[in-house]
Amino acid sequence: LLDACHKAGDLDAALEAKQQLDDSGLAPDARTYTTLIATVGRKASCASGAKDPSMAFGFLNEMVSLHIRPNGMTYSALIDACARCGRTDMALKGLRTMLRQKAKDRRALRASGTRRK
């Protein structure tokens, strides 16, 4: 359902679908949040005006607070949403956030002695 909302560019319907998901007790995952983030910036909506990607950062913060790890697709969607809104400053903020996470992950891997292929 969220994918259909994304393809239609209907953020309001996507937010309703997320609310239904939350109400059902099902746990969202990285794909859920990535799709929501990607839907921001498609069109102006009741929930978010045009040219405002702040909701995308809100979704990113929410997923991190739920211990759902953002992946490369998540950050790509975030940067794209910012670009679609004409907010290169926020796109750069998204890129910096991604790079900080990657550096943190590398430090954690080194500390654990695990090598990544």
Side-chain angles (χ1 to χ4, degrees), residues 41-114:
R42 296 283 170 171
K43 293 181 188 170
S45 68
C46 296
S48 177
K51 310 289 185 208
D52 182 14
S54 60
M55 184 177 283
F57 280 93
F59 287 134
L60 180 70
N61 292 334
E62 184 177 324
M63 73 185 292
V64 169
S65 73
L66 293 171
H67 305 288
I68 300 169
R69 188 184 150 127
N71 57 36
M73 293 298 291
T74 307
Y75 286 109
S76 178
L78 178 68
I79 293 165
D80 181 65
C82 294
R84 285 177 183 274
C85 292
R87 296 292 307 270
T88 55
D89 59 323
M90 292 184 83
L92 285 171
K93 178 182 173 185
L95 177 63
R96 289 182 188 113
T97 302
M98 178 185 71
L99 294 173
R100 275 193 304 272
Q101 178 188 323
K102 286 179 129 335
K104 181 179 172 183
D105 292 347
R106 274 192 229 109
R107 285 191 302 272
L109 280 172
R110 273 190 237 122
S112 71
T114 305

